[in-house]
Amino acid sequence: MTLHPSLKAAGLTADQIQGGDLIVTSPIDGAEIAQLRQTRPADVAAMIERAEAAFAGWRQTPAPRRGELVRLLGEELRAAKDALGAVVTLEAGKITSEGLGEVQEMIDICDFAVGLSRQLYGLTIASERPGHRMMETWHPLGPVAVITAFNFPVAVWSWNAALALVCGNPVIWKPSEKSPLTALATMAAMTRALERFGDAPEGLVQLAIGGAELGDALVSSPRVPLVSATGSTRMGRAVAPKVAERFGRVILELGGNNAMIVAPSADLDMAVRAIVFSAVGTAGQRCTSLRRLIVHESLRADLVAKLAAAYASLPIGDPRAEGTLVGPLIDSAALERMQAALARARAEGGTVHGGEAAPGVAGGAYARPAIVEMPAQSAIMRTETFAPILYVVGYETLEEAIALQNGVPQGLSSCIFTRDLREAETFLSATGSDCGIANVNIGPSGAEIGGAFGGEKETGGGRESGSDAWKAYMRRATNTINYSDALPLAQGVRFDF
């Protein structure tokens, strides 16, 4: 088949995208863009063996030297940013600026990880015994499996891979079968970085293309000490017990059902801008998308009117076109789930504005973003639908608003718009938001890589990217050194003989 120009520009070849049984289509128009050869489940064991062999050498490579590989990867990504961003748009349906933004996330985490390679610090700890010193040291863990979802097909891999590599670990990547081309294009950049690096062990970074059976093989293997998995809560319920059964580690990034509280003192114009991007960006297919709007009753009618006007102005269509702000849903099944959720919202007393299928590119699944006014936080509002649906409920007191915010199974991202310092600090306190991300006067979507990303409850509890998320990719050893001539025991224990 003909190689799409975007794929060619990203370094892929015609041989890579033909001759296989995994059919890849673009959500833009439903057109077939690749026929990929899948990794056989039986080959996963050999991939793990190669990763183990790579680990034997990579863990002995000084961490700053490991950081040099990630620095080179960042350079390759910078050079290929436009081409890679175009592949993200082609395969995931993101508008051009969001496709480029995702590649920028990869570049940013490479920069972060290069600095981290010289800052893998442990503590020195006071000992109760004279002539003794305690400290902690951090060591590489082993092969890391990274399972990613379609909506951030490359950025999430980079959050994990950049940190895992500087921490001394090989990486095996299993991307979503809906977005394997972005993975192939990213691996082309990785291969160029490895060639420039020169002495990296074979098998340090590998790619497994295919379905859930490949992920299951990685999840079930006791030779993979860490699995990072991004996807639905349903997927997490399957992954977590299998990893726990073999006493492995798991980083879970699962569902989000994110809320914004709009308080009486809020800057409404700023809130509207934040709401529209957070609820509509990526056609509502971000784990951090805004799904619930909790508005003070005194503002509710005015804010809904402003949002309805803003939504009516949004250009919907081909994400590659200049000015488009709403691209397609990933496939027709996603559009069907959106319509089913809206029907359920109506049955639960909701008033729906928008939400119908929209004209776009023939063959794609396009929809008008929906605003749904609800009488109360009903069952459908407690369920994450991966689509541009924004539910709106009112509140009277801040305590009521926080209770609504926290009253869902998920706990990823949250925010409040207020000029009241007491409200802002209450929202950020132990009695406020129960989410892993809590913002003030900024929407829930669009996290920077400097902070740890992840959430609580059914979001899975995992943390990736910045802050001290690197510790998940290493094993900690507590060391006690006796430099005295005596052997006192801790806690005053005596054992004389």
Side-chain angles (χ1 to χ4, degrees), residues 16-255:
Q16 288 178 291
I17 61 102
Q18 59 189 1
D21 58 357
L22 178 59
I23 306 301
V24 184
T25 61
S26 173
I28 296 172
D29 56 6
E32 182 178 309
I33 51 178
Q35 300 169 353
L36 298 186
R37 292 179 291 275
Q38 301 187 62
T39 305
R40 298 180 304 171
D43 293 336
V44 173
M47 296 181 74
I48 296 172
E49 287 181 9
R50 288 194 292 272
E52 287 182 317
F55 179 56
W58 192 243
R59 65 184 174 183
Q60 298 182 66
T61 303
R65 174 65 178 157
R66 301 192 296 249
E68 172 64 8
L69 173 59
V70 177
R71 188 189 69 80
L72 293 172
L73 173 60
E75 287 188 353
E76 294 295 336
L77 293 173
R78 281 180 169 86
K81 180 177 176 179
D82 289 347
L84 277 173
V87 178
V88 173
T89 293
L90 176 69
E91 190 172 47
K94 294 187 176 186
I95 63 173
T96 297
S97 67
E98 288 190 294
L100 293 171
E102 180 159 357
V103 182
Q104 187 62 49
E105 282 196 60
M106 301 173 74
I107 294 166
D108 292 346
I109 195 63
C110 286
D111 288 350
F112 179 91
V114 172
L116 176 65
S117 69
R118 295 180 181 271
Q119 299 180 74
L120 300 175
Y121 299 137
L123 298 174
T124 298
I125 306 162
S127 173
E128 68 183 61
R129 290 170 283 187
H132 286 58
R133 178 170 66 87
M134 293 177 65
M135 66 179 186
E136 64 178 25
T137 50
W138 294 86
H139 303 290
L141 189 61
V144 173
V146 182
I147 301 171
T148 57
F150 78 85
N151 60 325
F152 276 86
V154 290
V156 171
W157 171 80
S158 71
W159 295 352
N160 288 275
L163 269 61
L165 288 170
V166 300
C167 288
N169 307 311
V171 176
I172 302 174
W173 182 11
K174 209 297 281 183
S176 167
E177 53 269 43
K178 294 181 180 180
S179 55
L181 294 173
T182 47
L184 281 171
T186 301
M187 283 298 292
M190 184 79 245
T191 298
R192 293 192 295 270
L194 287 164
E195 290 171 350
R196 292 173 62 191
F197 184 78
D199 60 352
E202 191 273 334
L204 182 62
V205 184
Q206 300 178 77
L207 180 64
I209 291 179
E213 65 277 6
L214 300 181
D216 186 66
L218 292 167
V219 164
S220 301
S221 175
R223 296 153 63 194
V224 179
L226 174 63
V227 175
S228 175
T230 301
S232 66
T233 298
R234 177 182 57 81
M235 181 271 287
R237 292 190 195 282
V239 168
K242 291 181 180 180
V243 179
E245 185 178 17
R246 60 178 179 83
F247 300 104
R249 296 188 194 176
V250 63
I251 298 173
L252 293 176
E253 298 289 355
L254 309 176

Side-chain angles (χ1 to χ4, degrees), residues 97-467:
S97 67
E98 288 190 294
L100 293 171
E102 180 159 357
V103 182
Q104 187 62 49
E105 282 196 60
M106 301 173 74
I107 294 166
D108 292 346
I109 195 63
C110 286
D111 288 350
F112 179 91
V114 172
L116 176 65
S117 69
R118 295 180 181 271
Q119 299 180 74
L120 300 175
Y121 299 137
L123 298 174
T124 298
I125 306 162
S127 173
E128 68 183 61
R129 290 170 283 187
H132 286 58
R133 178 170 66 87
M134 293 177 65
M135 66 179 186
E136 64 178 25
T137 50
W138 294 86
H139 303 290
L141 189 61
V144 173
V146 182
I147 301 171
T148 57
F150 78 85
N151 60 325
F152 276 86
V154 290
V156 171
W157 171 80
S158 71
W159 295 352
N160 288 275
L163 269 61
L165 288 170
V166 300
C167 288
N169 307 311
V171 176
I172 302 174
W173 182 11
K174 209 297 281 183
S176 167
E177 53 269 43
K178 294 181 180 180
S179 55
L181 294 173
T182 47
L184 281 171
T186 301
M187 283 298 292
M190 184 79 245
T191 298
R192 293 192 295 270
L194 287 164
E195 290 171 350
R196 292 173 62 191
F197 184 78
D199 60 352
E202 191 273 334
L204 182 62
V205 184
Q206 300 178 77
L207 180 64
I209 291 179
E213 65 277 6
L214 300 181
D216 186 66
L218 292 167
V219 164
S220 301
S221 175
R223 296 153 63 194
V224 179
L226 174 63
V227 175
S228 175
T230 301
S232 66
T233 298
R234 177 182 57 81
M235 181 271 287
R237 292 190 195 282
V239 168
K242 291 181 180 180
V243 179
E245 185 178 17
R246 60 178 179 83
F247 300 104
R249 296 188 194 176
V250 63
I251 298 173
L252 293 176
E253 298 289 355
L254 309 176
N257 193 355
N258 315 294
M260 176 191 292
I261 297 171
V262 181
S265 67
D267 181 328
L268 282 192
D269 290 337
M270 183 186 292
V272 167
R273 291 186 62 81
I275 291 163
V276 174
F277 169 71
S278 299
V280 172
T282 322
Q285 297 172 116
R286 292 183 176 218
C287 53
T288 54
S289 289
L290 178 61
R291 310 210 180 277
R292 297 176 298 131
L293 187 60
I294 303 166
V295 189
H296 194 270
E297 288 290 1
S298 64
L299 304 176
R300 182 172 175 174
D302 187 26
L303 183 54
V304 169
K306 288 178 181 290
L307 288 173
Y311 271 42
S313 71
L314 296 174
I316 302 170
D318 190 329
R320 299 166 296 191
E322 183 73 24
T324 297
L325 293 178
V326 184
L329 292 164
I330 190 64
D331 53 29
S332 58
L335 180 58
E336 291 171 4
R337 287 190 291 270
M338 178 179 179
Q339 298 308 311
L342 292 175
R344 186 174 169 188
R346 289 187 183 96
E348 294 176 5
T351 300
V352 178
H353 308 276
E356 67 274 11
V361 181
Y366 294 81
R368 298 192 185 281
I371 301 170
V372 185
E373 296 185 78
M374 298 296 292
Q377 184 158 274
S378 64
I380 188 60
M381 289 183 64
R382 296 184 181 92
T383 303
E384 180 189 37
T385 302
F386 231 51
I389 300 174
L390 178 64
Y391 300 104
V392 183
V393 293
Y395 79 92
E396 293 289 353
T397 68
L398 181 61
E399 292 74 19
E400 178 190 359
I402 291 174
L404 287 167
Q405 143 70 42
N406 295 342
V408 295
Q410 308 86 357
L412 178 53
S413 192
S414 61
C415 62
I416 186 171
F417 270 71
T418 180
R419 290 191 179 101
D420 187 318
L421 178 63
R422 292 169 298 181
E423 289 185 327
E425 291 293 340
T426 298
F427 182 76
L428 300 178
S429 74
T431 60
S433 170
D434 64 359
C435 294
I437 299 170
N439 298 332
V440 176
N441 294 330
I442 186 172
S445 191
E448 299 179 34
I449 60 90
F453 181 90
E456 304 299 327
K457 301 188 293 189
E458 288 189 2
T459 301
R463 293 297 186 276
E464 296 170 335
S465 193
S467 186

